[in-house]
């Protein structure tokens, strides 16, 4: 039986980063085990009837850091990500997300009875975003993690004056949850405009700095894989394979083999594989609660992980339409456009919510002809699900599930029809992903798409500080990377955790 230096469970962006760095810079023998026949997890894509669809991720936050990280894996990889800027459609006007004044004016039009409150909110956003910008100008997140102890200390010393100058912001506002602030400004988050702004981020009720991060993203831009995320995942995997790594697909790991409190290997449904270190890129809850039966965790650790709630997930509509890019651009001019419904209303269930919620619509204009279907366009539509409208996705029968999916699809097609008249006659592919689809795809509890919840008491993370990454587990030689090891996960965060997990195995920095 062949023994490896490192086994990586899962090929999400965290696992890919860890494996490519280790195989390239340490020449360790790496084995990737992936349960699916496609790599990349949520940072990937798939084909239906010749249409290429992104599985989940579209716009990468903190794109400059992510590009630096890719560059460190292999210089040409950073060219795979290009930068672009969000566009907003509010009250029928296309706004450039970088122009916050224009966005504010459109919200004033959208909520004419609450002008003063909208002004208060935007004055808050503008002031606080400028603090965060000043902070991030000095504090380069990626550089911080790349640095050793002295480098880190130096960065912290440099950033200290900004923290002291804005102490109230960092102590009072930074950890606060956004709904607290919105309730203060608007009186409630159950009615508009509070309800609207409470639902603006993908993650329910995040800390205020996450909410501010959304506005910073509009200014700073987001990354998009220039020819799709499947290609990005494959190119990162190539770095590992060229350096001797082995990839086995369709291998679902079911158990971690532990001897004398040390992880020594893994079991799939019918094989065992052994290695000196194991890096898990999968759901931390499942890893610790279900896959380590031979290890006795401390009671407090079990309590903490049992209580931790996975983040919410959303709905993704995948459409393939026989409309050329040029034709579709007359109606939807760019990719990653956020369409805000003029009559967005508080809803009593998911169906009514979907009728007026904001939709992020992303046609595949950015793909080159190797991925693009000739004469056609793939369109991905993302929206979040407020937790109160989530459904018992996992408990319903197949028939009921199909019925619900069909109803959701019908609502979203109607909404697309109002934007692109006649589109429903041009549909060649249509499907929808729910949290159940996402759980089936990446094996994350409740289809979590961003690791653990932001709800502070239910989060596994003890701190909201973005300088904290949990890469170690209580089991010796078993490490954790990916969205469950850093608050908010996301592509950059998950990838960064991959680098940090690899450093732990390597016992030194790359
Ligand atoms: C709809 C949606 C939109 C998103 N949009 C964005 C966005 O725009 N920007 C952004 O930054 N982030 C976005 N995210 C979040 C981002 O995609 C994830 O946080 C990130 O990709 C998670 O990466 P990961 O390394 O944790 O691995 P994952 O993507 O979770 O992959 C885990 C891998 O492990 C495999 N696996 C699981 N269990 C096993 C097992 N037992 N044995 C073997 N293999 C296993 C899975 O098949 C999968 O390949 C989005 C997520 C979703 C769902």
């Amino acid at each position: 039986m062949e023994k490896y230096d490192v086994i990586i469970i899962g090929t999400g962006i965290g696992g890919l980063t860890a494996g490519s760095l280790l195989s390239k810079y340490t020449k360790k023998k790496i084995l990737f085990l992936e349960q699916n026949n496609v790599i990349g997890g949520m940072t990937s894509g798939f084909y239906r009837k010749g249409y290429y669809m992104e599985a989940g991720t579209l716009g990468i936050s903190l794109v400059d850091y992510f590009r630096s990280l890719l560059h460190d894996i292999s210089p040409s990889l950073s060219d795979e990500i290009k930068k672009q800027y969000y566009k907003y459609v509010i009250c029928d006007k296309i706004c450039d997300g970088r122009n916050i004044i224009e966005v504010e004016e459109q919200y004033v039009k959208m909520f004419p009875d609450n002008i003063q409150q909208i002004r208060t909110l935007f004055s808050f956003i503008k002031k606080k975003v400028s603090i965060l910008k000043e902070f991030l100008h000095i504090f380069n997140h990626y550089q911080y993690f790349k640095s050793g102890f002295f480098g880190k200390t130096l960065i912290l010393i440099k950033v200290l004056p900004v923290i002291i100058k804005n102490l109230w912001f960092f102590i009072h506002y930074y950890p606060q949850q956004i709904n607290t602030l919105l309730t203060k400004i608007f009186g409630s988050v159950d009615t508009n405009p509070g309800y609207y702004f409470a639902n603006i981020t993908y993650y329910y009720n995040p800390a205020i700095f996450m909410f501010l991060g959304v506005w910073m993203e509009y200014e700073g831009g987001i990354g998009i894989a220039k020819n799709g995320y499947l290609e990005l995942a494959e190119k990162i995997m190539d770095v590992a394979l060229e350096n001797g790594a082995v990839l086995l697909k369709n291998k679902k790991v079911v158990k971690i083999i532990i001897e004398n409190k040390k992880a020594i290997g893994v079991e799939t449904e019918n094989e065992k594989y052994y290695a000196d270190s194991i890096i898990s890129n999968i759901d931390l809850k499942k890893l610790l609660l279900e896959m380590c039966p031979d290890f006795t965790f401390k009671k407090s650790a079990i309590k903490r992980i049992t209580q931790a709630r996975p983040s919410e997930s959303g709905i993704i509509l995948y459409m393939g339409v026989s409309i050329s890019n040029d034709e579709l651009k007359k109606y939807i001019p760019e990719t990653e456009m956020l369409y805000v419904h003029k009559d967005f209303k508080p809803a009593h269930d998911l169906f009514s919510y979907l009728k007026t919620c904001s939709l992020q619509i992303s046609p595949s204009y950015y793909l080159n002809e190797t991925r693009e279907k000739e004469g056609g366009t793939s369109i991905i539509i993302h929206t979040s699900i407020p937790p109160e409208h989530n459904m018992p996705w996992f408990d319903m029968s197949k028939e009921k599930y199909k019925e619900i999916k069909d109803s959701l699809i019908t609502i979203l097609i109607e909404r697309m029809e109002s934007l692109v008249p006649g589109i429903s006659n041009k549909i060649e592919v249509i499907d929808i992903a729910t949290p159940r689809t996402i759980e089936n795809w990446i094996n994350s509890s409740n289809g979590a798409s961003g690791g653990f919840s932001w709800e502070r008491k239910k989060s596994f993370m003890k701190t909201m500080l973005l300088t904290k990454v949990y890469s170690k587990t209580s089991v010796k030689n078993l490490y954790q990377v990916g969205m469950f090891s850093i608050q908010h996960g996301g592509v950059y965060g998950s990838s960064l955790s991959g680098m940090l997990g690899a450093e732990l195995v390597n016992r030194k920095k790359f």
Side-chain angles (χ1 to χ4, degrees), residues 282-489:
I282 69 172
D283 186 328
L284 187 61
K285 248 177 130 76
K286 292 196 175 176
L287 175 78
L288 300 184
L289 295 178
E290 295 168 18
M291 288 165 62
C292 296
D294 302 334
F295 189 81
T296 315
F297 290 95
K298 279 192 197 146
K299 269 194 181 153
S300 56
I302 291 288
K303 191 172 163 209
R304 212 169 127 220
I305 188 79
T306 310
Q307 277 177 356
R309 194 170 68 76
S311 69
E312 289 81 29
S313 201
I315 294 275
I316 317 163
L317 186 83
Y318 305 103
M319 263 181 140
V321 293
S322 57
I323 304 177
S324 69
N325 284 193
D326 288 343
E327 184 59 23
L328 194 63
K329 277 183 186 167
K330 292 180 191 159
Y331 305 94
I332 304 174
E334 291 185 35
T335 196
E336 292 251 33
M337 293 193 65
L338 190 79
Y339 283 82
V340 177
H341 199 295
K342 270 190 290 216
D343 301 317
F344 177 67
K345 290 196 245 327
H348 53 269
D349 61 25
L350 183 57
F351 302 104
S352 51
Y353 178 78
L354 275 192
K355 285 184 183 158
T356 62
C357 69
S358 304
L359 297 178
Q360 188 168 309
I361 303 182
S362 307
S364 55
Y365 304 144
Y366 56 96
L367 295 177
N368 72 27
E369 62 281 2
T370 58
R371 292 239 182 256
E372 187 79 305
K373 169 126 174 170
E374 212 186 325
T377 309
S378 315
I379 308 173
I380 312 292
I381 301 176
H382 281 161
T383 189
S384 53
I385 308 176
E388 67 274 20
H389 299 330
N390 221 336
M391 294 200 168
W393 301 107
F394 305 89
D395 303 333
M396 54 181 91
S397 66
K398 266 192 175 167
E399 294 70 34
K400 182 76 191 160
Y401 182 57
K402 185 172 180 318
E403 192 189 311
I404 289 180
K405 271 177 69 167
D406 288 346
S407 310
L408 299 175
I409 288 174
T410 307
I411 294 170
L412 290 172
I413 291 180
E414 270 168 25
R415 289 199 58 187
M416 283 305 285
E417 186 67 34
S418 68
L419 289 174
V420 187
I423 195 169
S424 39
N425 299 323
K426 305 275 183 175
I427 295 173
E428 296 195 332
V429 174
I430 187 94
D431 205 349
I432 198 162
T434 68
R436 177 159 152 174
T437 327
I438 297 174
E439 169 150 352
N440 285 339
W441 178 246
I442 56 166
N443 197 18
S444 65
S445 311
N446 300 335
S449 59
F452 288 111
S453 161
W454 282 98
E455 234 177 300
R456 295 186 71 190
K457 286 189 189 135
K458 302 242 172 89
S459 177
F460 181 71
M461 312 295 166
K462 278 190 194 144
T463 166
M464 292 279 154
L465 286 179
L466 293 186
T467 46
K468 189 79 195 145
V469 182
Y470 294 84
S471 312
K472 283 187 180 162
T473 70
S474 331
V475 183
K476 218 170 164 211
N477 299 342
L478 176 63
Y479 303 94
Q480 170 71 18
V481 301
M483 61 174 158
F484 285 90
S485 55
I486 182 167
Q487 186 73 55
H488 172 46

Side-chain angles (χ1 to χ4, degrees), residues 68-333:
S68 304
L69 208 167
L70 287 177
H71 187 273
D72 286 347
I73 298 174
S74 178
S76 63
L77 281 177
S78 57
D79 299 335
E80 293 300 313
I81 300 292
K82 60 182 182 189
K83 204 175 195 179
Q84 63 169 55
Y85 296 91
Y86 275 119
K87 290 279 159 49
Y88 246 101
V89 184
I90 315 171
C91 293
D92 298 326
K93 181 171 181 194
I94 300 179
C95 310
D96 186 326
R98 283 170 287 181
N99 188 344
I100 196 162
I101 294 172
E102 189 180 43
V103 173
E104 178 180 347
E105 291 316 312
Q106 289 309 104
Y107 280 128
V108 163
K109 280 192 193 146
M110 186 168 159
F111 299 111
D113 299 336
N114 304 83
I115 295 177
Q116 206 40 53
Q117 292 155 316
I118 299 284
R119 298 265 182 239
T120 308
L121 176 67
F122 273 82
S123 152
F124 177 86
I125 293 172
K126 282 182 271 190
K127 268 194 217 136
K128 306 306 178 204
V129 161
S130 71
I131 297 177
L132 278 183
K133 267 164 63 180
E134 190 185 352
F135 178 81
L136 289 176
H137 185 67
I138 303 170
F139 183 85
N140 179 317
H141 193 262
Y142 181 57
Q143 205 49 49
Y144 176 83
F145 280 102
K146 284 269 292 177
S147 307
F149 177 75
F150 289 110
K152 280 195 171 84
T153 312
L154 207 65
I155 293 175
L156 291 176
I157 290 172
K158 275 194 195 157
V159 91
L160 206 60
V162 183
I163 297 180
I164 292 171
K165 195 171 94 188
N166 301 292
L167 204 56
W168 183 239
F169 169 75
F170 286 103
I171 293 177
H172 180 69
Y173 287 115
Y174 183 87
Q176 225 182 72
Q177 298 204 280
I178 186 62
N179 285 6
T180 316
L181 178 81
L182 293 174
T183 308
K184 216 162 133 194
I185 297 178
F186 296 110
S188 161
V189 288
D190 299 326
T191 53
N192 270 338
Y195 184 80
Y196 172 80
F197 287 102
N199 282 289
I200 207 169
T201 56
Y202 203 73
Y203 300 96
Y204 178 71
N205 201 6
I208 280 183
F209 74 90
M210 263 297 283
F211 178 79
L212 295 173
V214 172
W215 302 91
M216 293 200 55
E217 220 168 59
Y218 295 144
E219 274 198 63
I222 45 154
I224 190 157
K226 78 171 184 208
N227 204 22
Y229 287 96
L230 177 60
E231 189 159 312
L232 176 69
E234 284 172 345
K235 286 196 169 158
I236 303 177
M237 179 58 88
D238 283 347
V239 174
L241 298 180
E242 279 157 17
N243 287 286
V246 175
L247 163 66
L248 298 180
K249 295 180 186 170
N250 300 313
K251 298 280 180 195
K252 180 168 182 168
V253 172
V254 291
K255 188 181 157 187
I256 308 296
I257 306 170
I258 298 172
E259 247 179 46
N260 300 326
K261 299 187 180 171
K262 273 191 204 160
I264 57 157
V266 302
E267 254 181 72
T268 60
E269 268 126 7
N270 32 34
E271 280 121 329
K272 289 182 182 174
Y273 300 89
Y274 292 90
D276 296 331
S277 306
I278 316 288
I279 295 182
S280 161
N281 182 207
I282 69 172
D283 186 328
L284 187 61
K285 248 177 130 76
K286 292 196 175 176
L287 175 78
L288 300 184
L289 295 178
E290 295 168 18
M291 288 165 62
C292 296
D294 302 334
F295 189 81
T296 315
F297 290 95
K298 279 192 197 146
K299 269 194 181 153
S300 56
I302 291 288
K303 191 172 163 209
R304 212 169 127 220
I305 188 79
T306 310
Q307 277 177 356
R309 194 170 68 76
S311 69
E312 289 81 29
S313 201
I315 294 275
I316 317 163
L317 186 83
Y318 305 103
M319 263 181 140
V321 293
S322 57
I323 304 177
S324 69
N325 284 193
D326 288 343
E327 184 59 23
L328 194 63
K329 277 183 186 167
K330 292 180 191 159
Y331 305 94
I332 304 174

Side-chain angles (χ1 to χ4, degrees), residues 10 14 34-36 42-43 57 59 253 281 316 443 449 483 490-491:
E34 167 56 52
Q35 64 172 5
N36 291 330
M42 285 321 288
T43 311
T57 293
V253 172
N281 182 207
I316 317 163
N443 197 18
S449 59
M483 61 174 158
V491 172

